[in-house]
Amino acid sequence: GVAASLVAGLAAAAPRVMAMATPESRTSSSALLGDRRLTDELVQKASELVGASELTFEAPVVTQYTEGQRFLAHNDASLQPELDWADTGGQRLVTMIHYLNDGPQGGRTVFNNLKGEDGLPLAVVPKAGRVLVFLPATADGKVDERTMHQAEEAVDVKFVCQMWKRQRTVPPPLGVTPL
């Protein structure tokens, strides 16, 4: 299935994994999966799910969190999308986080501005095969502050695959390449 394809793709991409540039806020390692042969099924399913062209998606990114790694509170949308991302498809409208392995301890995705039934911040526990989908901005590009989120420190190794749908076509290499 899709998860198995991504794990195989991750193994192939491992030599290209690079540390993120902002160690204060993000301590994980990520790899852009720009080769459609590795991600075609995933991109097609994401496109069908949100009813949008495949070309409006960024290429999937696989991220690894090892023990103690995290990503502090952030929003996936930009406050200035036409300044920051005018040439890369505009605002991010949809975020998809595919959990590639179980994380029974640590590594939850936490939304501090959204409350769960227990009144605490909404927290999603990593579970292999699950996909978390949310809208970081409105259709007209305004940031939805409720979707500010963080990846808690991992206790066990955690793998996710992130995808973002933009307002317009996202040119390669950030965007998926046409088949």
Side-chain angles (χ1 to χ4, degrees):
V2 174
S5 297
L6 284 172
V7 170
L10 176 63
R16 296 186 304 259
V17 172
M18 60 183 184
M20 297 305 291
T22 55
E24 299 81 32
S25 64
R26 183 175 203 161
T27 57
S28 57
S29 299
S30 297
L32 181 75
L33 298 180
D35 186 339
R36 278 295 289 274
R37 294 172 296 179
L38 299 174
T39 62
D40 187 50
E41 182 182 356
L42 178 64
V43 171
Q44 285 179 2
K45 286 184 178 191
S47 173
E48 291 169 8
L49 178 68
V50 300
S53 166
E54 295 174 8
L55 300 179
T56 61
F57 282 87
E58 293 180 34
V61 173
V62 173
T63 302
Q64 175 189 24
Y65 294 86
T66 58
E67 183 179 347
Q69 292 185 323
R70 45 76 181 123
F71 192 175
L72 297 180
H74 64 283
N75 197 310
D76 290 343
S78 170
L79 292 172
Q80 311 174 95
E82 290 308 314
L83 180 63
D84 297 336
W85 297 335
D87 297 333
T88 55
Q91 184 66 283
R92 286 177 170 169
L93 300 179
V94 179
T95 296
M96 298 178 176
I97 302 174
H98 305 258
Y99 297 101
L100 302 180
N101 65 320
D102 292 341
Q105 296 182 15
R108 299 181 311 168
T109 303
V110 179
F111 295 85
N112 289 317
N113 296 335
L114 292 173
K115 303 300 178 200
E117 292 177 3
D118 56 5
L120 297 173
L122 182 65
V124 179
V125 176
K127 178 110 175 108
R130 286 190 181 162
V131 179
L132 171 62
V133 179
F134 59 94
L135 311 177
T138 61
D140 63 355
K142 290 186 177 63
V143 174
D144 184 344
E145 292 295 334
R146 297 173 301 172
T147 65
M148 183 169 291
H149 60 286
Q150 65 186 34
E152 289 182 326
E153 283 191 14
V155 174
D156 301 312
V157 174
K158 171 183 155 185
F159 285 100
V160 297
C161 178
Q162 300 117 309
M163 294 183 68
W164 296 277
K165 187 250 179 275
R166 301 276 188 130
Q167 289 174 309
R168 301 181 296 277
T169 297
V170 182
L174 180 62
V176 297
T177 54
L179 287 176

